[in-house]
Amino acid sequence: MSLRIGSIAPNFTIETTTGTIDFHQWAKGSWTFFFSHPADYTPVCTTEMGRTAQLAPEFAKRNVKPLGLSTDTVDEHLGWIKDVNETQNTVLEFPIVADKDKKVAELYDMIHPDEDDNAAIRSVYIIDPDLKIRLTMTYPMTVGRNFAEILRVIDALQTTDKHEVACPADWEPGKSVIIRPSVSDEEAKVKFPQGWETLRSYLRLTDLDK
């Protein structure tokens, strides 16, 4: 199954470290940061789980629910969480999917045989409150994720949903955004009364904070 941006995220019901969840029921109405790991008790994964837990307030203020996945059991996850908390100086409270049979990993195309026949790679899915996949990232098993970028793209998606804008290269909250070409100058006068800078007819920059 090919999962593409704009597709509805596939549903599943499975055991997690916080109980059984029906994914669609659990996720609907919130943004979801769904991310996979090769295995429990592995070094890079431990730092990533810890960083996600440390950033809980940042995810919460963006209405984002983190959901981890590893192809081990709930009991193994719970033991590993103790290590995560101790080594990363945090308290991990978000659920981790116990995908021992790799059903969810296969459903979300998290197994890449040329990287590893059995383990899930470091996949990221950002899923919106309507359960649509809005962004995907895929990291090799040896490279940890950049959490500043994960928060940045969530901010960008939420900004472009709220306003008829696009975010330029290296955009961060507070920086100028692009008025979409589909918005005429007359429409822009109403939508963006703060004004804008025209670099080209198709490239108009505005500041949302003004």
Side-chain angles (χ1 to χ4, degrees):
M1 180 177 181
S2 177
L3 299 181
R4 298 179 178 178
I5 290 174
S7 299
I8 296 295
N11 196 25
F12 54 86
T13 300
I14 200 164
E15 289 292 322
T16 78
T17 50
T18 61
T20 302
I21 67 168
D22 174 293
F23 176 65
H24 280 187
Q25 290 183 5
W26 179 86
K28 190 169 179 61
S30 300
W31 290 76
T32 302
F33 164 45
F34 186 28
F35 61 115
S36 61
H37 295 275
D40 293 356
Y41 298 104
T42 52
V44 177
C45 301
T46 298
T47 64
E48 290 188 320
M49 285 293 187
R51 189 63 181 138
T52 303
Q54 291 166 0
L55 290 170
E58 293 297 321
F59 286 117
K61 75 182 186 182
R62 293 168 171 82
N63 189 31
V64 176
K65 292 180 175 180
L67 179 65
L69 177 145
S70 184
T71 54
D72 291 293
T73 65
V74 167
D75 285 344
E76 288 170 320
H77 287 351
L78 292 173
W80 181 36
I81 287 172
K82 293 178 182 178
D83 280 5
V84 172
N85 289 342
E86 290 178 7
T87 62
Q88 306 304 304
N89 299 308
T90 192
V91 178
L92 192 158
E93 296 179 327
F94 62 86
I96 304 173
V97 169
D99 193 26
K100 184 67 176 177
D101 296 329
K102 304 179 182 67
K103 291 181 180 178
V104 178
E106 291 173 357
L107 183 65
Y108 276 77
D109 197 26
M110 294 171 173
I111 306 290
H112 289 201
D114 290 337
E115 177 78 356
D116 191 290
D117 287 335
N118 296 305
I121 55 168
R122 299 183 196 286
S123 297
V124 172
Y125 291 92
I126 304 298
I127 300 165
D128 73 15
D130 293 323
L131 305 174
K132 287 185 178 181
I133 295 171
R134 300 295 300 278
L135 180 139
T136 64
M137 301 184 206
T138 303
Y139 290 73
M141 292 169 65
T142 54
V143 179
R145 280 165 267 235
N146 183 323
F147 281 82
E149 171 64 2
I150 288 166
L151 292 175
R152 188 193 77 88
V153 296
I154 292 169
D155 286 335
L157 287 167
Q158 293 181 348
T159 297
T160 58
D161 279 1
K162 185 176 181 181
H163 307 278
E164 285 191 75
V165 298
C167 295
D170 295 330
W171 177 86
E172 293 177 349
K175 291 186 176 181
S176 297
V177 293
I178 298 168
I179 300 173
R180 297 180 194 176
S182 58
V183 178
S184 69
D185 282 350
E186 287 304 311
E187 292 172 319
K189 289 176 184 177
V190 177
K191 295 177 183 293
F192 308 102
Q194 69 273 27
W196 62 87
E197 178 186 5
T198 302
L199 301 181
R200 292 290 188 275
S201 60
Y202 59 85
L203 183 53
R204 296 166 294 171
L205 301 178
T206 190
D207 294 322
L208 296 175
D209 296 336
K210 287 185 177 180

